[in-house]
């Protein structure tokens, strides 16, 4: 602009045949413009140049990223490309080709129809007893231990937050380890059995289906995917529950006196495989169906349970409300808090080093929590109730704290509770079986004498 | 700039007491400038405005992303922020606080020292036999079936590609299902037991350690994390291998005549827990140590095995080379190809619908592959040998093909092999045990009569 004028002026001057000279007019520069105008032009040019430079930087930033000038640029671009391609493919994979059900429409609300988990069964105890007698190869007690089926799961789609799948994987390994050591079978569910009872309610139809499909199982143990075993030695004292059908962590005073919405925790509980449990599930389910039923039920729960925020009905609040409204159920409910069948993580995760110093595995309580449950962290979703950093670090610590107890048999432990690396804790020998006798958790020595462990 | 001048001119005009009027000079505009200059100024202003607008758009793009103007903008920004924060936290978590080992330094190469997996044991069969006799509560045969330990694993860090962890999770669920149905225990390893034997070699020290720590286990079955069970009914015919100690999928002609580097596949194989296996591991390991040893060994393998590209020694090529160089091992090696102990995915995944139409589970061979192994897909890493889309879709299909066989007991199947959604395949009744008798894979009816399944 200014430069073009300058050039034009010069060409005019040259065409005129004379070389431009310093003007005799002190107010004019060699380009023939007044000084004021020259300053103005220079200033304009400077502004344009700065703007252009700024634009260039922004364009570069948008392309390669500020922090990536240099070697990281290619990797970052490649990674972004991979992520984008992966997301595109996943969206394709997830599209359901069934033309009659292109999405998940809200079920039509019919107030005349009460939701049902399935056909009413009234003689399940009898059916099961006959079946067990006819199938001695599938006993419900093995080596005098009642058969337990641990049930957990997660949605079939990748987590919103990439790190979520990694911690689901670690949580699954953690459960595999505990269950291998204690002879417990695992069902990892990734299917929505009932569209109406989705989300946290999904465990209800699942529990029913598993009870009816696995008559050989005596106890079904639901455990959330965000709950980790942190005492690899402790075993559930099933003999305590001989006369009970539901074992759940909670506090009676919170339940009966305060009617608190966190009086019980449905993140880790056991159901006996029997008629009573089927009946309880039937009584529990009605607040669950998605839509107006769940929304309205949520209001009732918020109005009646202390501290409950306003949101749709959740299974935990509904169970609490059911038990305090229909007290006849309580006769068969064991509200357990002598060990951490569910251990709220925030008060536990910072004390693992202290625990390792003072106590040992096998206690299951506040000294060495049986289960550390990461309530509210939601690593699979986008919006947890706690800072991401705190949650991830704490889950890592809990995982390694538990893993140390498994690795002990093999002669290793983690370098630190935040470290994925391991180190030897004893030298190998040519008589390895002495360590098996000493360190295998399944060995009776761990069960009887409660030796000082980790 | 131009606008300021204009305003100044106007104020001057107003202060002068007279309203600005159309100039009588046709070459000057109301601002008092020559028309040419006015046009020039307007043009300049326009250019500045356009540049500013461009800058604004770029800044916005850098902040919210082009495709996200509107409702997606917040979610995308939030997601990016979450990813960035997660990555930062992970980097912190992964930093090893041990000052003596800040990174993984290359082990010093000492040509005088041959690598060793551990202290030489020469009487393992004897040690184990005595131990089994002394520990009848830990038999190596249960219900006349030899005890099998399935070993798999993945690195302790999140995958480079986010989707990798999701497929590791699904692969783990797949293995949990098969092993629950067939009474097999699982070890999921996430620890590097030996820095020198890292990567694909890591299974060697792991196998040794597990053999020596689990004397009750008769067979250790290594299975890669990218291998999925696709026949939930088929069982390994262990009685075939009564006189063998290593069962591996492969082709004798490829091994002996062609000396092909893919003659055997170490992605899924069984080792008997015995002295012979310890000795084989000792003979196998020397090509493994990271650094000059592995590099040099790679050259030998490439020179001697048909089709092998040039790269460091891998465990599979090393085993092939060992067996053709030291033929005395072969007496106890069963090279199996009558069923897909390892089934290369590319020739199988497109035929699942055909299989479901024509055949049934339990065959284990090309009609209904026992294992579908996604060699080369590497969903956990960044650089697979196949297009990402093909791999992810194929893995999804294999997973659902297998899952259908598990869900059958519960009365469900997937809507399609690419769909995470399920649908009922039969109505529920109040006598659910008839379906257990009919559909539970563990029931003898599946073992004996080979009924038409899926």
């Amino acid at each position: 602009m200014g430069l073009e004028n300058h050039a034009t002026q010069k060409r005019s001057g040259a065409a005129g045949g004379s070389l431009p000279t310093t003007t005799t007019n002190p107010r004019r520069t060699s380009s023939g413009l007044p000084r004021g105008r020259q300053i103005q032009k220079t200033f304009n040019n400077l502004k344009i140049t700065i703007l252009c430079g700024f634009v260039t930087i922004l364009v570069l930033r948008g392309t390669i990223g500020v922090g990536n000038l240099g070697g990281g640029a290619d990797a970052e671009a490649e990674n972004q490309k991979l992520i984008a391609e992966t997301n595109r493919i996943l969206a394709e994979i997830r599209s359901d080709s069934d033309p009659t059900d292109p999405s998940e429409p809200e079920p039509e609300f019919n107030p005349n129809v009460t939701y049902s988990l399935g056909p009413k069964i009234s003689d399940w105890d009898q059916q099961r007893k006959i079946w067990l007698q006819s199938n001695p190869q599938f006993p419900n007690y093995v080596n005098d231990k009642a058969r337990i089926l641990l049930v957990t799961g997660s949605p079939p789609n990748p987590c919103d937050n990439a790190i979520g799948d990694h911690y689901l994987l670690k949580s699954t390994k953690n459960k595999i380890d505990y269950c291998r050591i204690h002879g417990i079978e695992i069902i990892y569910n990734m299917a929505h059995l009932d569209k109406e009872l989705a989300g946290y309610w999904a465990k209800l139809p699942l529990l029913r289906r598993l009870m009816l499909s696995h008559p050989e199982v005596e106890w079904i143990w639901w455990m959330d995917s965000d709950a980790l075993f942190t005492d690899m030695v402790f075993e559930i004292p099933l003999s305590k529950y001989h006369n009970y059908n539901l074992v759940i962590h909670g506090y009676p005073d919170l339940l009966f006196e305060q009617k608190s919405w966190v009086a019980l925790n449905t993140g880790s509980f056991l159901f006996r495989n029997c008629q009573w449990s089927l009946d309880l599930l039937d009584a529990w389910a009605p607040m669950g169906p998605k839509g107006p039923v769940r929304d309205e039920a949520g209001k009732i729960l918020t109005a009646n349970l202390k501290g409950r925020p306003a949101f749709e009905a959740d299974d935990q609040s509904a169970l609490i409300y059911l038990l305090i409204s229909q007290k006849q159920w309580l006769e068969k409910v064991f509200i357990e808090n002598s060990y951490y069948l569910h251990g709220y993580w925030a008060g536990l995760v910072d004390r693992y080093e202290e625990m390792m110093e003072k106590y040992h595995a096998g206690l299951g309580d506040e000294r060495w929590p049986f289960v550390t449950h990461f309530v509210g962290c939601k690593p699979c979703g986008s919006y947890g109730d706690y800072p991401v950093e705190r949650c991830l670090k704490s889950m890592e610590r809990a995982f390694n704290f538990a893993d140390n107890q498994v690795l002990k048999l093999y002669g290793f432990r983690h370098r630190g509770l935040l470290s994925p690396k391991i180190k030897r804790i004893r030298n190998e020998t040519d008589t390895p079986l002495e360590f098996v006798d000493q360190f295998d958790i399944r060995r009776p020595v761990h069960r009887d004498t409660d030796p000082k462990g980790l």
Side-chain angles (χ1 to χ4, degrees), chain A residues 404-419:
Chain A
N404 278 347
Q405 300 167 50
V406 177
L407 292 174
K408 195 177 185 197
L409 171 61
Y410 309 116
F412 291 89
R413 68 179 292 170
H414 285 264
R415 291 182 176 274
L417 291 187
L418 273 180
S419 174

Side-chain angles (χ1 to χ4, degrees), chain A residues 439-452:
Chain A
F439 294 118
D440 190 334
I441 292 171
R442 297 169 299 173
R443 313 277 294 146
V445 65
H446 283 270
R447 309 256 64 83
D448 303 334
T449 66
D450 229 10
K452 184 157 175 54

Side-chain angles (χ1 to χ4, degrees), chain A residues 91-102:
Chain A
E92 260 188 67
I93 288 175
R94 299 306 173 211
S95 63
D96 192 355
S97 60
D98 183 343
T100 61
D101 181 27

Side-chain angles (χ1 to χ4, degrees), chain A residues 371-386:
Chain A
V371 170
T372 302
H373 185 192
F374 289 87
V375 184
C377 276
K378 301 177 195 165
C380 193
S382 303
Y383 307 101
D385 305 332
Y386 301 92

Side-chain angles (χ1 to χ4, degrees), chain A residues 7-44:
Chain A
T8 311
Q9 299 276 355
K10 274 197 165 189
R11 285 198 291 277
S12 307
S18 62
L19 292 170
T21 58
T22 312
T23 180
T24 52
N25 186 342
R27 286 176 52 84
R28 285 190 179 264
T29 65
S30 55
S31 57
L33 293 170
R35 179 170 294 280
R37 276 235 52 77
Q38 182 65 24
I39 289 168
Q40 190 77 28
K41 271 180 55 124
T42 308
F43 191 46
N44 282 348

Side-chain angles (χ1 to χ4, degrees), chain A residues 227-277:
Chain A
L228 292 179
F229 286 103
T230 37
D231 190 331
M232 287 291 173
V233 175
F234 185 85
E235 271 196 351
I236 291 193
L238 284 178
S239 55
K240 270 174 88 170
Y241 314 124
H242 185 67
N243 290 321
Y244 297 88
N245 297 329
L246 169 61
V247 183
I248 188 163
H249 189 274
Y251 300 95
D253 56 335
L254 278 186
L255 180 64
F256 302 118
E257 281 137 56
Q258 304 207 36
K259 298 179 175 33
S260 161
W261 82 296
V262 293
L264 305 175
N265 189 284
T266 53
S268 174
F269 62 91
L270 290 92
F271 253 85
R272 191 186 293 275
N273 190 353
C274 63
Q275 182 65 50
W276 183 96
S277 299

Side-chain angles (χ1 to χ4, degrees), chain A residues 54 90 99 135 148 211 256 320 329 332 385 409 415 430:
Chain A
F54 187 41
L90 279 173
N135 293 277
I148 303 175
M211 271 192 251
F256 302 118
I320 291 168
W329 295 104
K332 292 292 187 181
D385 305 332
L409 171 61
R415 291 182 176 274
D430 59 0

